[in-house]
């Protein structure tokens, strides 16, 4: 808390007259409001390089007379948020880019340019990001309030000469296209692998084939409809998203969630984490073509899905987390049974992990493959198990605790190598910790209700959660009528896909599917 | 026969005169008419010499203190006459239209003159009965080949390539001349007869000296490692018909020289020469095919592949010499037959491939495989004939490459019969390396075919609507048919090849390779009835009443415990293949196609349309795994590995390029160059310009000469 | 040593394959179930249910409550509404032919072994994950002759999940065109049938039916692997589709579970 105040005052000292610091002690948030645009990159650089903040994301809102552009920063080891806020008038269409100082802002700025039409000066690669140029014309800006879908459809002018941008020059260099439809049952994403024959020199993923415009759909909807959107857009981690959204609503409406609900939310979040990690381990074994390990991991994943289904009625935990608590109360004995089942599964997982560590053919394909160095992980602002495998000990449950996590003792495993084997070890270790947390919850369950009614009111808040893939942020602004006026989703897959190419380059073609599997990224979560 | 030979020479003279006197644009027609008739005559002469016992000896002029120049023909020269005649015939037909692209820019008259003279000199070499005429013909051939190849040089490095060929050829010529002179000095005469008679009485040192000098001298012409440095530059610049002549005729002359001197005139009764030939051949084969894999230019790729094939020929020949020295004439016969068979096959399919490369160059304007693609649609005939050449050179049955390469590898497997363990090890290792080269050859030619003819055109600039004249296709078709025939009927070619071989091994090798299944109980060596019955059950007597000859199965019999050492029959294979293909075609086109509807759809590219050419494999990419595996030989050094970055993080361009120095240069020529430069540099210190020192040099050298004269 | 340990592990794990389709699967947690209507419901209860359902899957006529499974997204709001008692049935055989699909002539002899090309047309991840579970030892669709294939040239069935986002329209169309006849299109999941909560909008469609001729529909969000398996068996002609019209599923009176 004191660091927030300190940050604000130091900022006012460094840029007198240009930056005004304002602290909200309740949240706690400190806002550095910049008067002019030119000072923006230096403030961002100061926060990241000198004070070791990390960028969570950028939020753009079109208010009545002006833009509000908010850069979210937080510290790994301390509670509280620091936002840099600029409010240029609506006629201003150009902002200075902070990408050369804070590279984690790269894709955020590209997204804003595609969806809002704001150019970022100094960013060399704007355009053809979310809205593919071979489908839509440039300068569509669908997130503007004045956007008319019918007019956009009528004026639709795809670029028929569109060609993928290749950057490798050399004798015999060519590019291998993979996707968007490839392999057996994979998500729709297109890779352009540039090579001179053996090694992948550059791997560029072309995403957003699955773009559904969630943020635009949410505008004007009720809280309940928006909850459905937030829960369903990436259903493999549906509970974590519903969890974060509910916390944002509760923060706006100043609702206090009953402690029984808080504990059960933690329980279900960890159950989802366990099931998600098991799925990734299953995919890693499948990518290395180790058939028996694949089957065994698949058995464990299916058992977790059945435990989830038996406990809550839905295998993917749909319809449980709602603003105000949980929609359904889980009986204590059911929770204990679920814990016992999960414990047995984790024991078998550890057995499987031990066998994998002794299979040299498996290790050969995973060890020292797809390496991301700690410096790169920090530079790109990676989150989740991937970042933790590269030495970046960042977990929102510890850094910005919520829903009672501060009362539960658990470890956050960290590895340094940053290769595929390190990521596998992290997944196994986190699964063990997840069951450990789940085991503590039944003792914390006090009798009582699990649902508090909410009274919608105007306001703005950030809700967050540590989803299985990493930090997830839901920024919500409700209007006076209680309807959603702005909903911003910052997902861990979006941040991590940005860094995927670091791992895939300089390795052979055959390693590519394995590297893809060890990342465990979701395209649906990225595309929104 | 002598009459025919004289007609040939007269024709050659007429051809030269016509080329000089008649207008330039008729020159290709002259090549076609005179050249093809001359080649036909040579083929007839060679055929007569091979099949019958006809021979002749014609003495030409007598030169004082040197000897009499004679022309003669025996089985060995007849074989080479036939092979060279076939290639020359096909090239004459091919060139008549192919040279159209050079008219106006370069002198076709010169080409025609050199063409006819070169053919005459080749025949002189093959018919020479004494060393002097041989050497005269050889020198003439070297110079004429240089002229032929330098026909269209524009750039400096092309002329240097020609000079290098000439220079290395001269070095080889000198070594061969010294060898002949050494032997002639011992024999007292320079005609082949006296040389042959005197060789057994010469000391081992002299025989070894003659062998080494002549082998390395002829190796320059035959294109063996490490003296094939001249091949790369020359093949790139010569027109396709000249390349075909280079590979199909001139490289064979090197082989002829090796076989003539080391096999016929002055064989060395020791295991050494054979082993040296085997090892040098194997290394040539491996290095040749590795570099062929790396080439993107079709012609240089085929040039490197010629090194590989010549290596196989020489390796087979070396194995034969080893068997001969170990008193195993039958196995030697098999090895020598395999080697000569491969020589013949290589001439045919390599010329075919060069014609294909020339046709591609003529129609699209480029030979760079990184930029070709999709030619099978615009040039189906060329694609088809080229495919026959590819299948032959990849040694796939039932084409001819399969037979000769299979026989070569089989003879190397017979090393069990040899006594010394070291020799067995060498045979085993060389056999393994030759098998490796066969696999690498398949890789190389799959890449060549796929990148040029299949897929999509990789560059928009190649115009693909050039017209390939009937004559060019006819020449390719003729050679493709020969590829098939000499592959499907090996049991008729082996007895023909046996004739020169039997002279070298002093016994008859045909029965060891082609047992008379059609007439098992007749002849000098009747087959045991149980053996015959077993093979007749397999169908070895099919065709007995229709075809003449001993049989259609190539088989080598062992003893009682191992009745069949190796056996195969491409004839029956071809029949079965044809039947299978025919039945399949009947079923598919006659029945299945009638009952289903066929629709044409664009190629599936993962839902990404269109599939752009830059998103398909390049030739470099295809062969990259070979380079990575054999990194120690290629030893690429990275010239550039930069990335252009903007705003500290965004890569705008990544540039990668490698430089590769050929292993020959790295191991031999660059060190020799640097050593020579250093020596020259040391001597250059003498040239400091001071007059007094120069006078002193003169005085010193005068003193030295006087002293020398005093004591010698 | 390494290979042996895997063999032993696999053998010790035993057989866990579901008895379906020979017998019904009785384990719990294999299906989210469907809401089934109690036959007599008051008008106000029916109206309340219609109001609660966010996708309009519940329709009420004279107290007879119909559930349009094609629209049901398994949000459970109707199940957890304390004022109205809705039945819940843990079934999973939900697949049906579309009207055009019913008349689809599937050649004889095609039903034993079918190759499936799965296309993700904007799905949230859950339907695709359930499709991937079909290969695990519990469901093991290989024993029934179903295989996933990476190329549409070998595919008999095109299995589409997702509402068909705008930028996946062309790749999906290309895949369909690249498949040789006879072919079948199977839409799996509520998004693929009706667009789910995302469509129709400028960026996301309202189901595969707007782009391709769909033959078999499997509702659910996500349909559990057994439902997809039932759909595949229906497509192959080896199992009957769910009885009744697409709009209503009468069911045995059952207490909410």
């Amino acid at each position: 808390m004191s660091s927030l105040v300190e940050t604000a005052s130091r900022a006012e000292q460094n840029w007198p007259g240009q930056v005004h610091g304002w602290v909200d002690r309740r949240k706690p948030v400190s806002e550095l409001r910049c008067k002019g645009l030119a000072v923006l990159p230096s403030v961002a650089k100061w926060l990241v390089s000198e004070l070791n903040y990390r960028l969570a994301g950028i939020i753009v809102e079109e208010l009545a007379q002006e833009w509000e552009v908010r850069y979210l920063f937080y510290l790994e080891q301390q509670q509280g948020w620091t936002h840099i806020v600029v409010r240029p008038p609506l006629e201003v269409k150009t902002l200075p880019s902070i990408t050369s100082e804070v590279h984690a802002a790269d894709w955020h700025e590209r997204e804003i340019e595609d969806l809002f039409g704001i150019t970022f000066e100094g960013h060399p690669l704007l355009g053809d990001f979310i809205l593919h140029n071979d489908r839509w014309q440039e300068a569509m800006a669908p997130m503007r309030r004045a956007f008319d879908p019918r007019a956009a459809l009528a004026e639709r002018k795809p670029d028929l000469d569109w060609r993928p941008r290749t950057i490798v020059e050399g004798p015999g260099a060519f590019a291998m296209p993979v996707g968007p439809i490839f392999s057996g049952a994979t998500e729709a994403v297109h890779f352009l692998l540039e090579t001179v024959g053996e090694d992948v020199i550059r791997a560029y993923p072309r995403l957003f084939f699955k773009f559904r415009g969630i943020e635009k759909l949410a505008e004007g909807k009720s809280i309940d409809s928006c909850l459905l959107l937030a829960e369903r857009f990436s259903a493999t981690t549906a509970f974590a998203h519903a969890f974060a959204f509910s916390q944002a609503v509760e923060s706006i409406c100043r609702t206090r969630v009953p402690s029984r609900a808080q504990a059960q939310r933690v329980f279900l979040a960890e159950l989802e984490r366990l099931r998600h990690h098991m799925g990734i381990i299953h995919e890693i074994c499948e990518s290395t073509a180790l058939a028996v390990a694949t089957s065994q991991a698949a058995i464990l994943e299916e058992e977790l899905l059945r435990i989830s289904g038996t406990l809550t009625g839905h295998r993917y935990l749909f319809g449980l987390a709602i603003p105000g608590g949980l929609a359904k109360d889980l009986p204590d004995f059911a929770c204990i049974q679920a814990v016992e089942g999960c414990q047995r599964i984790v024991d078998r997982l550890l057995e499987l992990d031990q066998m994998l560590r002794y299979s040299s053919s498996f290790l050969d394909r995973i060890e020292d493959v797809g390496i991301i160095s700690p410096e790169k992980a920090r530079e790109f602002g990676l989150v989740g198990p991937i970042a933790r495998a590269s030495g970046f000990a960042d977990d929102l449950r510890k850094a910005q605790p919520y829903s009672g996590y501060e009362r539960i003792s658990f470890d956050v495993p960290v590895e340094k190598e940053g290769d595929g084997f390190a990521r596998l070890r992290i997944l196994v270790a986190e699964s063990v910790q997840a069951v450990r947390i789940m085991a503590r919850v039944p003792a914390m369950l006090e009798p009582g209700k699990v649902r508090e009614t909410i009274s919608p009111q105007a306001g703005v808040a950030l809700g967050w959660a540590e989803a299985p893939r990493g930090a997830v942020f839901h920024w919500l602004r409700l209007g006076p009528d209680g309807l959603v006026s702005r909903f911003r989703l910052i997902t861990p897959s979006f941040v991590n896909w940005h860094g995927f190419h670091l791992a895939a380059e300089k390795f052979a073609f055959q390693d590519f599917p394995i590297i893809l599997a060890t990342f465990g990224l979701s395209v649906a979560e990225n595309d929104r | 026969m002598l009459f025919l030979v004289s007609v040939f020479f007269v024709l050659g003279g007429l051809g030269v005169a016509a080329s000089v006197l008649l207008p330039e644009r008729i020159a290709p027609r002259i090549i076609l008419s005179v050249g093809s008739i001359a080649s036909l005559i040579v083929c007839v002469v060679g055929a007569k010499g091979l099949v019958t016992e006809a021979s002749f000896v014609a003495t030409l002029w007598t030169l004082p203190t040197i000897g009499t120049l004679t022309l003669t023909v025996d089985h060995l020269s007849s074989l080479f006459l036939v092979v060279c005649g076939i290639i020359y015939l096909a090239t004459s037909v091919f060139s008549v239209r192919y040279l159209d692209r050079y008219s106006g820019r370069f002198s076709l008259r010169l080409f025609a003159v050199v063409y006819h003279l070169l053919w005459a000199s080749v025949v002189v070499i093959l018919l020479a009965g004494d060393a002097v005429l041989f050497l005269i013909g050889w020198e003439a051939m070297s110079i004429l080949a240089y002229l032929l190849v330098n026909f269209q040089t524009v750039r400096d490095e092309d002329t240097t390539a020609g000079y290098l060929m000439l220079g290395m050829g001269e070095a080889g010529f000198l070594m061969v001349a010294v060898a002949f002179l050494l032997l002639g000095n011992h024999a007292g005469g320079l005609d082949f007869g006296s040389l042959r008679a005197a060789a057994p009485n010469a000391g081992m040192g002299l025989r070894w000296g003659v062998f080494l000098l002549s082998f390395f001298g002829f190796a320059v012409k035959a294109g063996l490692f490490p003296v094939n440095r001249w091949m790369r530059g020359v093949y790139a610049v010569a027109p396709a018909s000249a390349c075909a002549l280079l590979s199909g005729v001139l490289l064979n002359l090197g082989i002829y020289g090796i076989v003539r001197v080391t096999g016929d005139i002055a064989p060395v009764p020791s295991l050494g020469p054979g082993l040296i030939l085997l090892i040098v051949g194997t290394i040539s084969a491996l290095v040749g095919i590795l570099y062929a894999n790396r080439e993107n230019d079709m012609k240089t790729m085929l040039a490197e592949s010629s090194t590989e094939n010549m290596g196989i020929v020489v390796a087979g020949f070396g194995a034969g010499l080893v068997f001969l020295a170990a008193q195993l004439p039958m196995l030697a016969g098999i090895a020598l037959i395999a080697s000569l068979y491969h020589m013949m096959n290589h001439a045919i399919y390599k010329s075919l491939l060069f014609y294909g490369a020339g046709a591609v160059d003529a129609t699209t304007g480029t030979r760079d495989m990184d930029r070709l693609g999709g030619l099978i649609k615009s040039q189906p005939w060329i694609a088809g004939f080229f495919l026959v050449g590819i299948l032959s050179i990849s040694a796939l049955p039932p084409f001819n490459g399969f037979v000769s390469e299979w026989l070569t590898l089989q003879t190397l497997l017979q090393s069990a019969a040899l006594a010394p363990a070291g020799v067995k090890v060498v045979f085993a290792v060389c056999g393994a390396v030759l098998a490796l080269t066969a696999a690498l050859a398949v890789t190389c030619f799959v890449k060549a075919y796929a990148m040029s003819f299949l897929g999509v055109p990789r560059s928009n600039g190649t115009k693909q609507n050039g017209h390939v004249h009937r004559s060019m296709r006819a020449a390719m078709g003729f050679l493709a048919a020969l590829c098939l025939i000499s592959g499907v009927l090996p049991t008729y070619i082996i007895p023909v090849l046996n004739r020169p071989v039997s002279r070298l091994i002093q016994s008859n090798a045909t029965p060891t390779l082609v047992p008379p299944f059609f007439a098992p109980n007749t002849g000098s060596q009747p087959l045991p009835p149980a053996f015959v019955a077993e093979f007749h059950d397999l169908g070895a007597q099919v065709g007995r009443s229709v075809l003449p000859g001993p049989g259609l199965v190539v088989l080598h019999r062992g003893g009682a415990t191992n009745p069949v050492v190796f056996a195969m029959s491409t004839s029956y294979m071809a029949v079965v293949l044809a039947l299978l293909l025919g039945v399949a075609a009947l079923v598919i086109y006659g029945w299945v196609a009638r009952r289903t509807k066929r629709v044409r759809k664009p190629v599936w590219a993962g839902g990404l349309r269109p599939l752009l050419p830059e998103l398909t494999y390049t030739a470099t990419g295809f062969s990259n795994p070979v380079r990575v595996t054999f990194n120690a030989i290629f030893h690429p050094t990275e010239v550039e590995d930069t990335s252009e970055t903007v705003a500290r993080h965004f890569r705008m361009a990544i540039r990668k390029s490698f430089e590769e120095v050929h292993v020959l240069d790295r191991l031999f020529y660059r060190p020799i160059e640097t050593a020579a430069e250093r020596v020259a540099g040391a001597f250059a210190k003498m040239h400091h310009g001071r007059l007094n020192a120069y006078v002193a040099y003169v005085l010193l050298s005068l003193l030295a000469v006087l002293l020398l004269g005093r004591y010698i | 040593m390494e290979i042996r340990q895997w063999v032993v592990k696999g053998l010790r794990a035993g057989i866990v394959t579901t008895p379906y389709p020979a017998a019904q699967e009785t384990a719990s947690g294999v299906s989210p179930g469907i809401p089934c209507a109690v036959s007599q419901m008051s008008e106000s209860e029916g109206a309340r249910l219609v109001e609660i359902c966010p996708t309009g899957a519940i329709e009420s006529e004279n107290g007879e409550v119909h559930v349009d499974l094609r629209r049901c997204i398994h949000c459970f709001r109707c199940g957890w509404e304390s004022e109205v008692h809705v039945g819940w049935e843990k079934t999973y055989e939900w697949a049906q032919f579309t009207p055009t699909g019913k008349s689809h002539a599937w050649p004889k002899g095609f039903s034993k072994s079918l190759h499936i090309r799965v296309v993700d047309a904007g799905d949230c991840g859950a339907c695709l994950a359930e499709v991937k579970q079909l290969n695990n030892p519990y469901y093991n669709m290989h024993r029934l002759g179903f295989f996933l294939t990476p190329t549409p040239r070998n595919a008999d069935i095109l299995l589409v999940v997702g509402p068909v986002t705008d930028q996946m329209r062309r790749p999906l169309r290309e895949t369909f065109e690249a498949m040789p006849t006879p072919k079948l299109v199977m839409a799996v999941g509520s998004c693929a049938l009706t667009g789910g909560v995302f469509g129709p909008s400028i960026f996301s469609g309202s189901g595969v039916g707007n782009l391709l001729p769909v033959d078999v529909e499997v509702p659910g969000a996500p349909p559990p692997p057994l439902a997809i398996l039932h759909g595949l068996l229906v497509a192959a002609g080896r199992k009957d589709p769910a009885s009744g019209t697409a709009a209503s599923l009468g069911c045995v009176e059952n207490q909410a579970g």
Side-chain angles (χ1 to χ4, degrees), chain B residues 330-504:
Chain B
M330 285 300 145
L331 291 177
I334 299 177
L336 292 173
I337 288 181
S339 151
L340 290 176
Y341 206 150
H342 197 78
M343 180 272 301
M344 179 182 92
N345 291 340
H346 166 254
I348 300 176
Y349 56 59
K350 192 46 70 66
S351 308
L352 171 60
L353 291 172
F354 271 116
Y355 294 163
V360 166
D361 195 5
T363 54
T364 64
T366 177
R367 291 187 321 259
D368 184 4
M369 289 191 281
D370 257 344
R371 301 177 56 224
L372 289 171
L375 284 175
I376 195 171
K377 294 197 183 68
S378 50
Q379 306 283 347
W381 283 102
I382 306 288
F385 294 140
F386 201 81
L387 183 63
V388 172
I390 296 283
L391 291 176
S392 309
I393 198 169
S394 308
L396 291 173
F399 294 100
N400 55 3
F402 168 71
V403 180
S404 54
E405 196 143 342
W406 185 85
L407 274 176
T408 312
L409 287 173
Q410 287 287 3
T411 57
L412 288 177
L413 283 177
Q414 304 312 310
S415 60
L418 295 167
V423 174
K424 279 203 249 228
V425 167
V426 170
F427 263 66
V429 170
C430 289
V433 173
L434 283 182
L436 173 64
T437 65
L440 287 171
V442 175
T443 315
C444 173
F445 289 103
V446 163
K447 173 190 96 173
Y449 193 70
M451 292 298 151
S452 318
F453 289 93
L454 306 178
V456 293
R458 262 168 222 94
S459 61
N460 301 327
T462 59
K463 53 172 177 65
Q464 299 202 2
N465 49 5
H467 178 59
V468 176
H469 194 262
R470 273 198 323 260
S471 62
M472 289 163 77
R473 283 187 292 186
M476 289 180 72
F478 167 61
L479 288 182
L482 276 184
C483 279
L484 185 62
I485 291 175
S486 50
V488 166
L489 300 176
T491 52
Y492 295 94
I493 298 188
I494 290 177
V496 169
L497 290 174
N498 177 45
R499 290 173 164 266
V501 167
S502 63
R503 171 80 176 279
L504 297 176

Side-chain angles (χ1 to χ4, degrees), chain B residues 68-151:
Chain B
T68 322
L69 306 177
T70 47
L71 285 177
T72 180
V73 71
D74 68 351
H75 292 300
L76 187 61
S77 20
S78 312
L79 173 66
F80 279 85
L81 280 174
V82 171
V83 173
C84 298
I86 292 174
I87 303 303
Y88 244 97
L89 175 62
T91 307
S92 309
V93 175
F94 183 79
S95 305
V96 67
R97 279 296 173 179
Y98 177 69
L99 289 175
D100 279 349
R101 54 201 299 260
Y102 297 106
S103 68
R105 286 189 296 147
F106 301 102
S107 167
L108 290 181
R109 192 170 275 156
L110 173 66
F111 189 90
V113 168
V114 171
Y115 190 86
H116 294 116
L117 284 178
L118 182 63
W119 195 195
S121 66
V122 166
V123 172
V124 163
I125 296 175
L126 290 175
L127 291 181
D130 69 295
V132 181
L133 191 56
F134 186 92
L135 289 174
I136 293 176
W138 193 267
E139 184 71 10
M141 182 266 295
S142 293
I143 296 177
L144 289 166
Y146 161 74
L147 286 175
L148 191 73
V149 152
N150 257 18
F151 167 59

Side-chain angles (χ1 to χ4, degrees), chain A residues 130 132 135-136 156 181 183 187-188 208-210 224 232 301-303 310 314-316 319 359-361, chain C residues 2 6 9 28-29 32 73-74 77 80 117 120 123-124 129-130 133 138-139 150 165-167 175 221:
Chain A
I130 294 194
H132 294 173
R135 289 295 289 174
W136 296 106
R156 187 175 184 143
I181 297 171
S183 273
E187 294 195 274
F208 300 102
F209 281 93
K210 295 171 44 151
D224 190 53
R232 297 305 180 97
E301 185 185 1
E302 175 68 20
E303 285 182 13
T310 312
H314 195 281
R315 286 152 64 94
Y316 290 87
S359 304
S360 56
S361 61
Chain C
E2 174 187 315
W6 288 112
K9 171 117 179 129
S28 71
I73 58 167
H74 284 114
R77 278 152 175 72
W80 295 333
R117 171 70 244 191
D120 169 16
D123 132 273
C124 62
E130 296 291 64
Q133 299 305 332
Y138 276 97
Y139 303 108
T165 56
D166 176 76
Q167 298 190 138
T175 316

Side-chain angles (χ1 to χ4, degrees), chain C residues 6 12-13 21 50 62 65 72-73 119 125 133 140 147 154 167 169 208 231 244 250:
Chain C
W6 288 112
R12 264 209 263 134
V50 172
N62 310 324
V65 178
C72 176
I73 58 167
V119 173
Q133 299 305 332
N140 192 12
F147 301 91
N154 291 346
Q167 298 190 138
R169 284 179 72 92
V208 184

